[in-house]
Amino acid sequence: MKKIKLTLIGFLISQAGIAQNSLFIPSTLSGTNISLTLQYGTHSFLNGQLTNTMGANGDILGPTLILNQGDFVNFSVENQLADTTTIHWHGLHVAPENDGGPHTPIIPNTTWTPSFTIMDKAATYWYHPHLHHHTNEHVSKGISGIIIVKDSIEANLNLPRDYGVDDFPLIIQTKDFDTNNQIVVHSNSDDVVMVNATIDPFLDVPGQIVRFRILNGSSQRAFNLGLSNNLSFYQIASDGGLLSTPVQLTRLLITPGERAEILVDLSSMIGQTVYIKSYASELQNGIYGATNPGMAPFMTMNGYNPNPLNGTDFNILQLNVGNQTATPVTSIPSNLVTVTPIPEADADITRNLTFTPVSMGPNQLNGEFLINGVSMDMNVINYTIPLNNTEIWELTNQSAISHPFHIHDVQFYILTRNGSTPPLNEQGRKDVVLVKPQETVRFITKFEDFTNDIVPYMYHCHLLTHEDGGMMGQFIVSDQLSINEITKDDITVYPNPSNGKVYVKIDKIPSKVIVRDILGRKIETTKQIKNKLIVFNNLPSGTNIITLEYEDSTITKRVIIE
Ligand code: C2O
Ligand code: CU
Ligand code: CU
């Protein structure tokens, strides 16, 4: 009760227009050697008790990484937490072993050192933990950061790009706090809005064209962004690149995991104050953040109501417009880049993915949710995709709530939303797409450059409660036709996951037994081979790949040691 009252007061204050906290702008790291340290911290979100947090190189969030296309970058991610976690480079096109998905855990007190070439186009990406079942916990407690990729095409456009001066990252999140000011994970009572971990924020901006790099970093909530004076703004980039031309908007729907870069012309507003708001009253039902998160009023979600943010308009950021800088950008470019979507006729295959709730009926909003009838299994590869395949993925939502679908490895182009061409601001490069109830969304993409027969990429719903609840699947990209060997079921590995002791039931004794870690490094193990059984006594924690070599074939099995 007490908590609801306090948040209501905060809500009333923010609606009355008293933004009291200067917006935090994360520091930056650039160059070709990037070091992140994952650590615990405390942060003063609310009056009274400090909140326990997790951050990268600080108490909360992480530095903004500024990377140049074409650079080969060495990363080092040190885990000083007591928990295993991972760091995923959301939106970047990297090899699966560098992607930071659930199969590349960073054990406490160890350092993960991926290195790769930045191949992506100029846009705003982000990084966040991705340990299976723990993504929401680690993100909610604070670990997330922005990645800005620069390239020569973007550099030649007349755009604001002075970080913290006319080019600002905005990580928009909502969180739920308990009566001791601690973050509640897996909650539908997220009633505190923050930008860059700042509650009730204001930002002093120059009276010219400014650029906002917006990330919806929330666990579940969608925002329907607009300016309080209904000024138009211009979207210039979607998830993975600039759009062909700026798209004039008064509202921008942004769902968890999505990014958008917008330009706002504040030149006629010097001395005035304007708010970036979420016009959630205009959200259609069936989206988390609307009055009803499901398609029908009788569908309820535990804890969703009462919440002063659901279906109501609320302030996100107060902009105090001041004087111009010495070299302001004063016009919106008429053209940006050439966007070259993949022609539909190039597709080698169409894959159908259908989203359903585990249980039908009024409680179906509480999950879990399945993709093609199955839940995430770390040991199952759902799709094996030949290298250089061009594919259409057709996503159909047969549940009552919207799901922002995300795929690793690639950027895609939306072909149709319920049979129609998508709106202009969805015609660029994307890695997250919202699929509303009863909707079918088709996108096209190509799986290029990276193969790995062992480490999979993920696709999943970016509502972190749904993802952690199993609304995720795995694919590998392979250039080996003999890939079916991997799924051969004439040997059994158990228990899986295990605590170190693993049995492999075999039909005949292999000529060779090799164990590797996820990066392909050989692991020295002690094993006994009895007639139809191989016994490993102490496999190390993480994913172990066991390869059995026979004269005519090779069989690979993965086993997870917890
Ligand atoms: Cu932003 Cu698989 O994640
Ligand atoms: Cu991702
Ligand atoms: Cu979902």
PDB file of all heavy atoms in Angstrom, residues 369 401-404 461-463 466-467 471, ligand 3:
ATOM      1  N   PHE A 369       4.944 -18.856 -23.174  1.00  0.00           N
ATOM      2  CA  PHE A 369       4.589 -18.814 -24.580  1.00  0.00           C
ATOM      3  C   PHE A 369       5.523 -19.732 -25.357  1.00  0.00           C
ATOM      4  O   PHE A 369       6.689 -19.884 -25.014  1.00  0.00           O
ATOM      5  CB  PHE A 369       4.678 -17.380 -25.103  1.00  0.00           C
ATOM      6  CG  PHE A 369       3.663 -16.488 -24.450  1.00  0.00           C
ATOM      7  CD1 PHE A 369       3.994 -15.746 -23.318  1.00  0.00           C
ATOM      8  CD2 PHE A 369       2.367 -16.416 -24.941  1.00  0.00           C
ATOM      9  CE1 PHE A 369       3.050 -14.941 -22.698  1.00  0.00           C
ATOM     10  CE2 PHE A 369       1.413 -15.610 -24.319  1.00  0.00           C
ATOM     11  CZ  PHE A 369       1.748 -14.874 -23.200  1.00  0.00           C
ATOM     12  N   ILE A 401      -1.416 -11.367 -26.633  1.00  0.00           N
ATOM     13  CA  ILE A 401      -0.530 -10.242 -26.287  1.00  0.00           C
ATOM     14  C   ILE A 401       0.528 -10.098 -27.381  1.00  0.00           C
ATOM     15  O   ILE A 401       0.900 -11.086 -28.034  1.00  0.00           O
ATOM     16  CB  ILE A 401       0.091 -10.459 -24.877  1.00  0.00           C
ATOM     17  CG1 ILE A 401       0.873  -9.220 -24.428  1.00  0.00           C
ATOM     18  CG2 ILE A 401       0.960 -11.702 -24.827  1.00  0.00           C
ATOM     19  CD1 ILE A 401       1.304  -9.278 -22.959  1.00  0.00           C
ATOM     20  N   SER A 402       1.006  -8.883 -27.582  1.00  0.00           N
ATOM     21  CA  SER A 402       2.016  -8.623 -28.621  1.00  0.00           C
ATOM     22  C   SER A 402       3.397  -9.090 -28.173  1.00  0.00           C
ATOM     23  O   SER A 402       3.747  -8.971 -26.995  1.00  0.00           O
ATOM     24  CB  SER A 402       2.099  -7.124 -28.896  1.00  0.00           C
ATOM     25  OG  SER A 402       0.851  -6.629 -29.285  1.00  0.00           O
ATOM     26  N   HIS A 403       4.177  -9.578 -29.126  1.00  0.00           N
ATOM     27  CA  HIS A 403       5.541 -10.035 -28.842  1.00  0.00           C
ATOM     28  C   HIS A 403       6.543  -9.328 -29.757  1.00  0.00           C
ATOM     29  O   HIS A 403       6.434  -9.449 -30.983  1.00  0.00           O
ATOM     30  CB  HIS A 403       5.664 -11.543 -29.067  1.00  0.00           C
ATOM     31  CG  HIS A 403       4.700 -12.363 -28.282  1.00  0.00           C
ATOM     32  ND1 HIS A 403       4.901 -12.673 -26.950  1.00  0.00           N
ATOM     33  CD2 HIS A 403       3.521 -12.915 -28.622  1.00  0.00           C
ATOM     34  CE1 HIS A 403       3.879 -13.406 -26.519  1.00  0.00           C
ATOM     35  NE2 HIS A 403       3.020 -13.565 -27.503  1.00  0.00           N
ATOM     36  N   PRO A 404       7.519  -8.612 -29.206  1.00  0.00           N
ATOM     37  CA  PRO A 404       8.596  -8.074 -30.046  1.00  0.00           C
ATOM     38  C   PRO A 404       9.611  -9.176 -30.338  1.00  0.00           C
ATOM     39  O   PRO A 404      10.364  -9.593 -29.466  1.00  0.00           O
ATOM     40  CB  PRO A 404       9.199  -6.954 -29.188  1.00  0.00           C
ATOM     41  CG  PRO A 404       8.788  -7.253 -27.787  1.00  0.00           C
ATOM     42  CD  PRO A 404       7.609  -8.180 -27.812  1.00  0.00           C
ATOM     43  N   CYS A 461      11.400 -13.754 -28.152  1.00  0.00           N
ATOM     44  CA  CYS A 461      10.606 -12.585 -27.801  1.00  0.00           C
ATOM     45  C   CYS A 461      11.473 -11.709 -26.905  1.00  0.00           C
ATOM     46  O   CYS A 461      12.144 -12.202 -26.000  1.00  0.00           O
ATOM     47  CB  CYS A 461       9.350 -13.009 -27.061  1.00  0.00           C
ATOM     48  SG  CYS A 461       8.405 -11.584 -26.476  1.00  0.00           S
ATOM     49  N   HIS A 462      11.479 -10.384 -27.158  1.00  0.00           N
ATOM     50  CA  HIS A 462      12.304  -9.501 -26.324  1.00  0.00           C
ATOM     51  C   HIS A 462      11.567  -8.966 -25.102  1.00  0.00           C
ATOM     52  O   HIS A 462      12.085  -8.097 -24.410  1.00  0.00           O
ATOM     53  CB  HIS A 462      12.954  -8.380 -27.142  1.00  0.00           C
ATOM     54  CG  HIS A 462      14.387  -8.137 -26.763  1.00  0.00           C
ATOM     55  ND1 HIS A 462      14.739  -7.599 -25.534  1.00  0.00           N
ATOM     56  CD2 HIS A 462      15.546  -8.388 -27.406  1.00  0.00           C
ATOM     57  CE1 HIS A 462      16.063  -7.515 -25.478  1.00  0.00           C
ATOM     58  NE2 HIS A 462      16.577  -7.992 -26.588  1.00  0.00           N
ATOM     59  N   LEU A 463      10.354  -9.465 -24.812  1.00  0.00           N
ATOM     60  CA  LEU A 463       9.808  -9.243 -23.470  1.00  0.00           C
ATOM     61  C   LEU A 463      10.599 -10.214 -22.600  1.00  0.00           C
ATOM     62  O   LEU A 463      10.539 -11.430 -22.796  1.00  0.00           O
ATOM     63  CB  LEU A 463       8.308  -9.538 -23.403  1.00  0.00           C
ATOM     64  CG  LEU A 463       7.390  -8.696 -24.304  1.00  0.00           C
ATOM     65  CD1 LEU A 463       5.931  -8.899 -23.910  1.00  0.00           C
ATOM     66  CD2 LEU A 463       7.741  -7.223 -24.270  1.00  0.00           C
ATOM     67  N   HIS A 466       9.032 -13.209 -21.067  1.00  0.00           N
ATOM     68  CA  HIS A 466       8.703 -14.267 -22.029  1.00  0.00           C
ATOM     69  C   HIS A 466       9.959 -15.019 -22.446  1.00  0.00           C
ATOM     70  O   HIS A 466       9.969 -16.247 -22.538  1.00  0.00           O
ATOM     71  CB  HIS A 466       8.030 -13.681 -23.265  1.00  0.00           C
ATOM     72  CG  HIS A 466       6.692 -13.049 -22.998  1.00  0.00           C
ATOM     73  ND1 HIS A 466       5.859 -12.605 -23.988  1.00  0.00           N
ATOM     74  CD2 HIS A 466       6.043 -12.798 -21.828  1.00  0.00           C
ATOM     75  CE1 HIS A 466       4.759 -12.100 -23.451  1.00  0.00           C
ATOM     76  NE2 HIS A 466       4.853 -12.187 -22.139  1.00  0.00           N
ATOM     77  N   GLU A 467      11.035 -14.281 -22.712  1.00  0.00           N
ATOM     78  CA  GLU A 467      12.295 -14.918 -23.125  1.00  0.00           C
ATOM     79  C   GLU A 467      12.780 -15.877 -22.040  1.00  0.00           C
ATOM     80  O   GLU A 467      13.066 -17.043 -22.313  1.00  0.00           O
ATOM     81  CB  GLU A 467      13.354 -13.831 -23.384  1.00  0.00           C
ATOM     82  CG  GLU A 467      14.736 -14.393 -23.684  1.00  0.00           C
ATOM     83  CD  GLU A 467      15.821 -13.322 -23.734  1.00  0.00           C
ATOM     84  OE1 GLU A 467      15.496 -12.136 -23.927  1.00  0.00           O
ATOM     85  OE2 GLU A 467      17.002 -13.693 -23.586  1.00  0.00           O
ATOM     86  N   MET A 471      10.360 -18.490 -24.376  1.00  0.00           N
ATOM     87  CA  MET A 471       9.923 -18.100 -25.721  1.00  0.00           C
ATOM     88  C   MET A 471      11.139 -17.726 -26.559  1.00  0.00           C
ATOM     89  O   MET A 471      11.368 -16.565 -26.903  1.00  0.00           O
ATOM     90  CB  MET A 471       8.921 -16.943 -25.649  1.00  0.00           C
ATOM     91  CG  MET A 471       8.177 -16.732 -26.946  1.00  0.00           C
ATOM     92  SD  MET A 471       6.970 -15.415 -26.813  1.00  0.00           S
ATOM     93  CE  MET A 471       6.415 -15.373 -28.530  1.00  0.00           C
TER      94      MET A 471
HETATM   95 CU    CU B   3       6.516 -12.283 -25.856  1.00  0.00          CU
END
